[in-house]
Amino acid sequence: MAFGRRRQFKKGMSLKIKLLLVVFLLGALSVLLQLFYPKDQFFWLARVNGGWVSGMTAVEATGTLEALYKSQKVSVEDISGSRISTFSLAEAEISAQKSVETAIEYPFWQRAIPFSSLFRLFGFGVDFAPEVALDMENLEEYVPTEPVDATLHFSGAEFVVEKEKAGYQYDNKALREVLEKLKLRADKETSIRLVAAVVPASLSAAEIEPKLADVKATLMNGVNFSYMDEKYMVPFEAMAEMVSFRAGGNEAVATVDDFKLRQYFANNFEDKIMIKAGYFKVDEYGLVISRGKDDDKSVDYDELTMNLERLLAEEFDGEIGIVLTPYSYQYIGRTEYENNLAGLQKELMERFSGEGFAVKLVDLSGGNRELVELGGEFDIRGDKVWTAASTYKIFVAYSILQAIDRGDAQWTDKSYNGNSLEYCFEVMILESNNECAKWWLDKKGFENVAKESQAIGATATTFKYDDMRTSANDLALMLTKLYDGTFASKQSCEKLLELMKKQVHRNGIPAGTNGVVADKVGWLDGLLHDAGIVYVADGDYVLVVMTDDSTWKTIAVAAKAVQARM
């Protein structure tokens, strides 16, 4: 019996020795690997602050982590934990260099400890937050102070009510302190808490919705207008595009977008109604109906808008009479200026007298000999940098199409409010919709979208939140590339051009030419811009006009002066 126990004991000792030997060998192997592993490279499966940096050098890890941080959003919550807002870090100055340098340090004494690399794989992520510098002068970028009223837009044959957003009152000093202590993670959204009082919007979705049924009923069969014995009908879909709401006391009041109303009449009725100065308007039998006197006469849009709003408020029922009002219009014929670029420059300088403006002209067909000698281009202040207004959407369109062509995005992807990316793209160009463009900029980062265009030569174009800048030269460059097919794939270019030819705001360059125009306009705080490709029999060209304190009519006349010399 004793002999049997001795054999069993020896067998057990042999197994333990083998296990210890295996552990010793593995430990020795781990030490060798640790001692000879490159000093400037992270171990496999390593993470820093939640971000994977497996096998990367310090430089590679820094770039990777900074990109991850910039892709994150920060959630701002009140003391109760309710979300106030979120903001993107795409424009923030973020440096992960120090945290990476600290994390990659692996001194000799640690390397000599068996299996210490395993602790390094899973030990990072607590004290390696990056350095973050935010814009402390514009705190509203992070927590809005001004509320946003509920809005209405017409989409897919239906009215869509966008819910209101509250504003907030808070101590700026407290917000600065919270932002200065911001600790980011690379793998998840960061939350901060702030004491803030809610500032409600003046118009809520709940106030709009009860009124919407009445508006639908009023517009369902279209709206009838009359001028003398003529009848004009604007269909439901067109009228629905013009309607919005504003706060009026304790209820929502239906309003009409004056610009869209003017645009619709200009495209459909105005040429049948407007009376040119000194001309007779006669009926089919040659009898004089009316006559212009000292000035032209056109639709009194102030009166028309007021009556439409009265109709929506159910203050009356029936047809709306069209009233004409005089307006001055003077065109100095091209015979007063030389029929060359010097004459064009003189004419434009006089037409925009006292107004800031820039013009860029690119001959796309080589039909103008004088332009060909100048390299095909002519500009006045073409390099001046302007607030872009909605012309920035050309650069956003470039970014979207590039993503589509690379396969990074699909037209069926969801965008703002659950709409498809294709719908988002179309309304951004056709109607100059802001929500789509802002959604894409928030998604990709303002600076990143601008850098895409800068990479192909639009070097004056910069994007920051509420500060989008570009030049006539950059806009012309983008349109030239769109025309020659280097802007994006053939299919993508064709899609954008077709939308630009159909966009609804056409009182600028399109009104001054007799060709087909694919353009994008922008207006903001007195700025009026128009950038387009003009297709005419004498030769296609790009024309960009950027102005401050001007009018669409002046831009149209400038476009006419340009075409006269092409």
PDB file of all heavy atoms in Angstrom, residues 106-126:
ATOM      1  N   TYR A 106       6.972  52.358 -21.599  1.00  0.00           N
ATOM      2  CA  TYR A 106       7.031  50.980 -21.063  1.00  0.00           C
ATOM      3  C   TYR A 106       8.453  50.755 -20.578  1.00  0.00           C
ATOM      4  O   TYR A 106       9.283  50.177 -21.282  1.00  0.00           O
ATOM      5  CB  TYR A 106       6.658  49.998 -22.173  1.00  0.00           C
ATOM      6  CG  TYR A 106       6.303  48.604 -21.723  1.00  0.00           C
ATOM      7  CD1 TYR A 106       6.226  48.252 -20.382  1.00  0.00           C
ATOM      8  CD2 TYR A 106       6.059  47.611 -22.672  1.00  0.00           C
ATOM      9  CE1 TYR A 106       5.913  46.974 -19.986  1.00  0.00           C
ATOM     10  CE2 TYR A 106       5.731  46.316 -22.292  1.00  0.00           C
ATOM     11  CZ  TYR A 106       5.660  45.997 -20.942  1.00  0.00           C
ATOM     12  OH  TYR A 106       5.335  44.716 -20.559  1.00  0.00           O
ATOM     13  N   PRO A 107       8.757  51.224 -19.371  1.00  0.00           N
ATOM     14  CA  PRO A 107      10.141  51.188 -18.885  1.00  0.00           C
ATOM     15  C   PRO A 107      10.668  49.757 -18.727  1.00  0.00           C
ATOM     16  O   PRO A 107       9.898  48.793 -18.627  1.00  0.00           O
ATOM     17  CB  PRO A 107      10.061  51.893 -17.528  1.00  0.00           C
ATOM     18  CG  PRO A 107       8.629  51.804 -17.114  1.00  0.00           C
ATOM     19  CD  PRO A 107       7.833  51.818 -18.385  1.00  0.00           C
ATOM     20  N   PHE A 108      11.990  49.651 -18.639  1.00  0.00           N
ATOM     21  CA  PHE A 108      12.652  48.344 -18.599  1.00  0.00           C
ATOM     22  C   PHE A 108      12.175  47.495 -17.433  1.00  0.00           C
ATOM     23  O   PHE A 108      11.949  46.282 -17.568  1.00  0.00           O
ATOM     24  CB  PHE A 108      14.181  48.537 -18.528  1.00  0.00           C
ATOM     25  CG  PHE A 108      14.931  47.254 -18.417  1.00  0.00           C
ATOM     26  CD1 PHE A 108      15.211  46.492 -19.553  1.00  0.00           C
ATOM     27  CD2 PHE A 108      15.352  46.768 -17.166  1.00  0.00           C
ATOM     28  CE1 PHE A 108      15.895  45.292 -19.454  1.00  0.00           C
ATOM     29  CE2 PHE A 108      16.034  45.557 -17.065  1.00  0.00           C
ATOM     30  CZ  PHE A 108      16.306  44.825 -18.209  1.00  0.00           C
ATOM     31  N   TRP A 109      11.998  48.116 -16.253  1.00  0.00           N
ATOM     32  CA  TRP A 109      11.631  47.323 -15.078  1.00  0.00           C
ATOM     33  C   TRP A 109      10.255  46.688 -15.245  1.00  0.00           C
ATOM     34  O   TRP A 109       9.992  45.605 -14.732  1.00  0.00           O
ATOM     35  CB  TRP A 109      11.702  48.170 -13.806  1.00  0.00           C
ATOM     36  CG  TRP A 109      10.668  49.266 -13.704  1.00  0.00           C
ATOM     37  CD1 TRP A 109      10.784  50.539 -14.126  1.00  0.00           C
ATOM     38  CD2 TRP A 109       9.362  49.138 -13.130  1.00  0.00           C
ATOM     39  NE1 TRP A 109       9.647  51.248 -13.876  1.00  0.00           N
ATOM     40  CE2 TRP A 109       8.745  50.403 -13.244  1.00  0.00           C
ATOM     41  CE3 TRP A 109       8.654  48.090 -12.536  1.00  0.00           C
ATOM     42  CZ2 TRP A 109       7.461  50.659 -12.794  1.00  0.00           C
ATOM     43  CZ3 TRP A 109       7.376  48.343 -12.076  1.00  0.00           C
ATOM     44  CH2 TRP A 109       6.787  49.601 -12.205  1.00  0.00           C
ATOM     45  N   GLN A 110       9.354  47.369 -15.996  1.00  0.00           N
ATOM     46  CA  GLN A 110       8.045  46.774 -16.258  1.00  0.00           C
ATOM     47  C   GLN A 110       8.152  45.658 -17.298  1.00  0.00           C
ATOM     48  O   GLN A 110       7.480  44.624 -17.190  1.00  0.00           O
ATOM     49  CB  GLN A 110       7.058  47.841 -16.733  1.00  0.00           C
ATOM     50  CG  GLN A 110       6.596  48.792 -15.651  1.00  0.00           C
ATOM     51  CD  GLN A 110       5.537  49.747 -16.144  1.00  0.00           C
ATOM     52  OE1 GLN A 110       5.049  49.625 -17.279  1.00  0.00           O
ATOM     53  NE2 GLN A 110       5.184  50.708 -15.313  1.00  0.00           N
ATOM     54  N   ARG A 111       8.998  45.866 -18.295  1.00  0.00           N
ATOM     55  CA  ARG A 111       9.163  44.854 -19.331  1.00  0.00           C
ATOM     56  C   ARG A 111       9.746  43.553 -18.747  1.00  0.00           C
ATOM     57  O   ARG A 111       9.490  42.461 -19.276  1.00  0.00           O
ATOM     58  CB  ARG A 111      10.094  45.371 -20.437  1.00  0.00           C
ATOM     59  CG  ARG A 111       9.491  46.477 -21.279  1.00  0.00           C
ATOM     60  CD  ARG A 111      10.520  47.073 -22.248  1.00  0.00           C
ATOM     61  NE  ARG A 111       9.944  48.133 -23.057  1.00  0.00           N
ATOM     62  CZ  ARG A 111       9.553  47.989 -24.329  1.00  0.00           C
ATOM     63  NH1 ARG A 111       9.684  46.818 -24.927  1.00  0.00           N
ATOM     64  NH2 ARG A 111       9.039  49.003 -24.987  1.00  0.00           N
ATOM     65  N   ALA A 112      10.532  43.692 -17.668  1.00  0.00           N
ATOM     66  CA  ALA A 112      11.178  42.519 -17.066  1.00  0.00           C
ATOM     67  C   ALA A 112      10.209  41.703 -16.214  1.00  0.00           C
ATOM     68  O   ALA A 112      10.568  40.611 -15.759  1.00  0.00           O
ATOM     69  CB  ALA A 112      12.371  42.959 -16.226  1.00  0.00           C
ATOM     70  N   ILE A 113       9.024  42.209 -15.986  1.00  0.00           N
ATOM     71  CA  ILE A 113       8.027  41.481 -15.185  1.00  0.00           C
ATOM     72  C   ILE A 113       7.212  40.594 -16.120  1.00  0.00           C
ATOM     73  O   ILE A 113       6.605  41.085 -17.082  1.00  0.00           O
ATOM     74  CB  ILE A 113       7.104  42.460 -14.444  1.00  0.00           C
ATOM     75  CG1 ILE A 113       7.912  43.338 -13.483  1.00  0.00           C
ATOM     76  CG2 ILE A 113       6.008  41.704 -13.690  1.00  0.00           C
ATOM     77  CD1 ILE A 113       7.105  44.429 -12.836  1.00  0.00           C
ATOM     78  N   PRO A 114       7.185  39.291 -15.886  1.00  0.00           N
ATOM     79  CA  PRO A 114       6.422  38.399 -16.787  1.00  0.00           C
ATOM     80  C   PRO A 114       4.952  38.823 -16.895  1.00  0.00           C
ATOM     81  O   PRO A 114       4.321  39.187 -15.896  1.00  0.00           O
ATOM     82  CB  PRO A 114       6.558  37.027 -16.113  1.00  0.00           C
ATOM     83  CG  PRO A 114       7.806  37.114 -15.306  1.00  0.00           C
ATOM     84  CD  PRO A 114       7.874  38.531 -14.824  1.00  0.00           C
ATOM     85  N   PHE A 115       4.475  38.766 -18.105  1.00  0.00           N
ATOM     86  CA  PHE A 115       3.065  39.019 -18.417  1.00  0.00           C
ATOM     87  C   PHE A 115       2.607  40.457 -18.102  1.00  0.00           C
ATOM     88  O   PHE A 115       1.413  40.739 -18.069  1.00  0.00           O
ATOM     89  CB  PHE A 115       2.134  38.028 -17.685  1.00  0.00           C
ATOM     90  CG  PHE A 115       2.493  36.606 -17.881  1.00  0.00           C
ATOM     91  CD1 PHE A 115       2.949  35.832 -16.823  1.00  0.00           C
ATOM     92  CD2 PHE A 115       2.404  36.017 -19.148  1.00  0.00           C
ATOM     93  CE1 PHE A 115       3.294  34.508 -16.995  1.00  0.00           C
ATOM     94  CE2 PHE A 115       2.739  34.677 -19.329  1.00  0.00           C
ATOM     95  CZ  PHE A 115       3.199  33.924 -18.261  1.00  0.00           C
ATOM     96  N   SER A 116       3.539  41.383 -17.864  1.00  0.00           N
ATOM     97  CA  SER A 116       3.127  42.765 -17.562  1.00  0.00           C
ATOM     98  C   SER A 116       2.419  43.415 -18.752  1.00  0.00           C
ATOM     99  O   SER A 116       1.624  44.336 -18.589  1.00  0.00           O
ATOM    100  CB  SER A 116       4.334  43.608 -17.152  1.00  0.00           C
ATOM    101  OG  SER A 116       5.278  43.687 -18.221  1.00  0.00           O
ATOM    102  N   SER A 117       2.712  42.930 -19.963  1.00  0.00           N
ATOM    103  CA  SER A 117       2.042  43.497 -21.152  1.00  0.00           C
ATOM    104  C   SER A 117       0.539  43.269 -21.111  1.00  0.00           C
ATOM    105  O   SER A 117      -0.227  44.068 -21.652  1.00  0.00           O
ATOM    106  CB  SER A 117       2.619  42.881 -22.428  1.00  0.00           C
ATOM    107  OG  SER A 117       2.505  41.463 -22.397  1.00  0.00           O
ATOM    108  N   LEU A 118       0.099  42.165 -20.442  1.00  0.00           N
ATOM    109  CA  LEU A 118      -1.342  41.918 -20.345  1.00  0.00           C
ATOM    110  C   LEU A 118      -2.023  42.998 -19.525  1.00  0.00           C
ATOM    111  O   LEU A 118      -3.135  43.436 -19.837  1.00  0.00           O
ATOM    112  CB  LEU A 118      -1.593  40.537 -19.719  1.00  0.00           C
ATOM    113  CG  LEU A 118      -1.142  39.332 -20.541  1.00  0.00           C
ATOM    114  CD1 LEU A 118      -1.395  38.044 -19.773  1.00  0.00           C
ATOM    115  CD2 LEU A 118      -1.857  39.301 -21.891  1.00  0.00           C
ATOM    116  N   PHE A 119      -1.352  43.441 -18.467  1.00  0.00           N
ATOM    117  CA  PHE A 119      -1.921  44.501 -17.650  1.00  0.00           C
ATOM    118  C   PHE A 119      -1.978  45.809 -18.437  1.00  0.00           C
ATOM    119  O   PHE A 119      -2.894  46.607 -18.261  1.00  0.00           O
ATOM    120  CB  PHE A 119      -1.094  44.684 -16.374  1.00  0.00           C
ATOM    121  CG  PHE A 119      -1.175  43.511 -15.443  1.00  0.00           C
ATOM    122  CD1 PHE A 119      -0.196  42.533 -15.452  1.00  0.00           C
ATOM    123  CD2 PHE A 119      -2.250  43.377 -14.577  1.00  0.00           C
ATOM    124  CE1 PHE A 119      -0.272  41.441 -14.602  1.00  0.00           C
ATOM    125  CE2 PHE A 119      -2.332  42.284 -13.720  1.00  0.00           C
ATOM    126  CZ  PHE A 119      -1.353  41.310 -13.723  1.00  0.00           C
ATOM    127  N   ARG A 120      -1.008  46.006 -19.326  1.00  0.00           N
ATOM    128  CA  ARG A 120      -1.012  47.225 -20.134  1.00  0.00           C
ATOM    129  C   ARG A 120      -2.140  47.185 -21.159  1.00  0.00           C
ATOM    130  O   ARG A 120      -2.702  48.217 -21.517  1.00  0.00           O
ATOM    131  CB  ARG A 120       0.337  47.398 -20.840  1.00  0.00           C
ATOM    132  CG  ARG A 120       1.498  47.600 -19.882  1.00  0.00           C
ATOM    133  CD  ARG A 120       2.785  47.839 -20.637  1.00  0.00           C
ATOM    134  NE  ARG A 120       2.734  49.062 -21.417  1.00  0.00           N
ATOM    135  CZ  ARG A 120       2.948  50.289 -20.925  1.00  0.00           C
ATOM    136  NH1 ARG A 120       3.227  50.432 -19.647  1.00  0.00           N
ATOM    137  NH2 ARG A 120       2.892  51.349 -21.694  1.00  0.00           N
ATOM    138  N   LEU A 121      -2.479  46.001 -21.647  1.00  0.00           N
ATOM    139  CA  LEU A 121      -3.555  45.903 -22.633  1.00  0.00           C
ATOM    140  C   LEU A 121      -4.873  46.362 -22.060  1.00  0.00           C
ATOM    141  O   LEU A 121      -5.672  47.004 -22.732  1.00  0.00           O
ATOM    142  CB  LEU A 121      -3.697  44.448 -23.118  1.00  0.00           C
ATOM    143  CG  LEU A 121      -2.535  43.860 -23.909  1.00  0.00           C
ATOM    144  CD1 LEU A 121      -2.888  42.440 -24.342  1.00  0.00           C
ATOM    145  CD2 LEU A 121      -2.209  44.711 -25.115  1.00  0.00           C
ATOM    146  N   PHE A 122      -5.121  46.056 -20.811  1.00  0.00           N
ATOM    147  CA  PHE A 122      -6.429  46.318 -20.238  1.00  0.00           C
ATOM    148  C   PHE A 122      -6.395  47.408 -19.166  1.00  0.00           C
ATOM    149  O   PHE A 122      -7.419  47.731 -18.583  1.00  0.00           O
ATOM    150  CB  PHE A 122      -6.999  45.027 -19.638  1.00  0.00           C
ATOM    151  CG  PHE A 122      -7.082  43.911 -20.636  1.00  0.00           C
ATOM    152  CD1 PHE A 122      -6.197  42.852 -20.599  1.00  0.00           C
ATOM    153  CD2 PHE A 122      -8.038  43.943 -21.634  1.00  0.00           C
ATOM    154  CE1 PHE A 122      -6.271  41.833 -21.529  1.00  0.00           C
ATOM    155  CE2 PHE A 122      -8.114  42.928 -22.576  1.00  0.00           C
ATOM    156  CZ  PHE A 122      -7.236  41.869 -22.529  1.00  0.00           C
ATOM    157  N   GLY A 123      -5.225  47.982 -18.942  1.00  0.00           N
ATOM    158  CA  GLY A 123      -5.132  48.978 -17.878  1.00  0.00           C
ATOM    159  C   GLY A 123      -5.316  50.402 -18.332  1.00  0.00           C
ATOM    160  O   GLY A 123      -5.473  51.294 -17.501  1.00  0.00           O
ATOM    161  N   PHE A 124      -5.320  50.659 -19.663  1.00  0.00           N
ATOM    162  CA  PHE A 124      -5.461  52.023 -20.143  1.00  0.00           C
ATOM    163  C   PHE A 124      -6.925  52.434 -20.148  1.00  0.00           C
ATOM    164  O   PHE A 124      -7.817  51.617 -20.209  1.00  0.00           O
ATOM    165  CB  PHE A 124      -4.893  52.157 -21.551  1.00  0.00           C
ATOM    166  CG  PHE A 124      -3.404  51.930 -21.614  1.00  0.00           C
ATOM    167  CD1 PHE A 124      -2.824  51.450 -22.779  1.00  0.00           C
ATOM    168  CD2 PHE A 124      -2.609  52.180 -20.510  1.00  0.00           C
ATOM    169  CE1 PHE A 124      -1.462  51.234 -22.833  1.00  0.00           C
ATOM    170  CE2 PHE A 124      -1.257  51.976 -20.576  1.00  0.00           C
ATOM    171  CZ  PHE A 124      -0.671  51.495 -21.732  1.00  0.00           C
ATOM    172  N   GLY A 125      -7.169  53.746 -20.175  1.00  0.00           N
ATOM    173  CA  GLY A 125      -8.527  54.228 -20.350  1.00  0.00           C
ATOM    174  C   GLY A 125      -9.033  55.054 -19.192  1.00  0.00           C
ATOM    175  O   GLY A 125     -10.169  55.501 -19.212  1.00  0.00           O
ATOM    176  N   VAL A 126      -8.230  55.258 -18.147  1.00  0.00           N
ATOM    177  CA  VAL A 126      -8.707  55.999 -16.988  1.00  0.00           C
ATOM    178  C   VAL A 126      -8.143  57.411 -16.967  1.00  0.00           C
ATOM    179  O   VAL A 126      -8.872  58.380 -16.826  1.00  0.00           O
ATOM    180  CB  VAL A 126      -8.351  55.256 -15.683  1.00  0.00           C
ATOM    181  CG1 VAL A 126      -8.831  56.048 -14.488  1.00  0.00           C
ATOM    182  CG2 VAL A 126      -8.959  53.861 -15.676  1.00  0.00           C
TER     183      VAL A 126
END
